Amino acid sequence: GSFEVTVKEKPVLGSISLEGPDKTQYWVGEELSLDGLKVIAHYSDGSSRVITDYKVSGFDSTKPGTVTVTVSYTEGEITKTANFTVSIQEKPVNVVLDSITLQGPDKTEYTVGEGMNLDGLKVTAHYSDGSSREVAGYEVSGFDSTKPGTVTVTVSYSEGGITKTTSFD
């Protein structure tokens, strides 16, 4: 007996694309946040997949301006890159953190024992000069899903020696 076999070429990496990141505005001296960055590898057979073993270069927040951040991914002998830009701003003198506000998170109902999901949570810092910006590096506390009931979750953000908090149920 005999049977037919189809041999296909192994798909090769054709390109990468980016979604995000959530944060694209920074103060001089601030660290890069990759929260919300999704890197997608695209292959010669039309398939694609989300990857996590990429490298990031080019971020420099030592002076104000627009910075191009390069994301690179190597598979086999092929390396592909994609870029996103961020804005670095000089923090005005005498401007201090005044308050924070929250948007989200998407999920606010849990079953007993379920872990917290902060997808959709955006923290905005408001400053004494009336300006505001979305921030990362906040802390979340108070979540407890060991028993039923309403739980108050506290979000804290610190900058320049000042800490502001707000909460959601």
Side-chain angles (χ1 to χ4, degrees):
S2 65
F3 58 91
E4 287 187 27
V5 176
T6 302
V7 179
K8 296 181 179 180
E9 280 190 42
K10 181 179 177 185
V12 294
L13 180 63
S15 65
I16 63 172
S17 63
L18 308 176
E19 293 179 13
D22 295 339
K23 182 174 177 156
T24 58
Q25 295 182 11
Y26 293 85
W27 296 123
V28 168
E30 207 172 358
E31 297 284 323
L32 177 65
S33 169
L34 297 177
D35 292 346
L37 178 63
K38 187 174 176 182
V39 182
I40 305 157
H42 302 277
Y43 295 90
S44 58
D45 67 352
S47 65
S48 62
R49 69 182 179 97
V50 174
I51 56 171
T52 57
D53 51 343
Y54 54 84
K55 294 183 178 156
V56 177
S57 61
F59 181 79
D60 179 5
S61 68
T62 58
K63 59 185 184 287
T66 300
V67 175
T68 300
V69 179
T70 301
V71 176
S72 61
Y73 173 67
T74 301
E75 190 171 291
E77 299 292 317
I78 301 171
T79 299
K80 297 295 178 179
T81 62
N83 300 317
F84 64 92
T85 59
V86 296
S87 172
I88 312 295
Q89 300 173 10
E90 192 72 56
K91 188 172 180 181
V93 180
N94 299 327
V95 174
V96 296
L97 180 64
D98 192 43
S99 66
I100 61 172
T101 56
L102 306 176
Q103 177 185 342
D106 298 337
K107 184 173 176 67
T108 58
E109 292 186 19
Y110 293 86
T111 57
V112 171
E114 190 175 1
M116 185 166 206
N117 180 339
L118 294 176
D119 290 349
L121 178 64
K122 294 185 188 302
V123 179
T124 302
H126 302 274
Y127 297 92
S128 58
D129 69 347
S131 65
S132 62
R133 68 184 181 98
E134 190 176 322
V135 295
Y138 50 84
E139 294 184 17
V140 179
S141 62
F143 180 78
D144 180 4
S145 67
T146 59
K147 58 185 181 279
T150 300
V151 175
T152 299
V153 177
T154 301
V155 177
S156 301
Y157 176 71
S158 297
E159 187 177 306
I162 297 173
T163 300
K164 296 297 178 178
T165 61
T166 191
S167 60
F168 63 93
D169 291 334

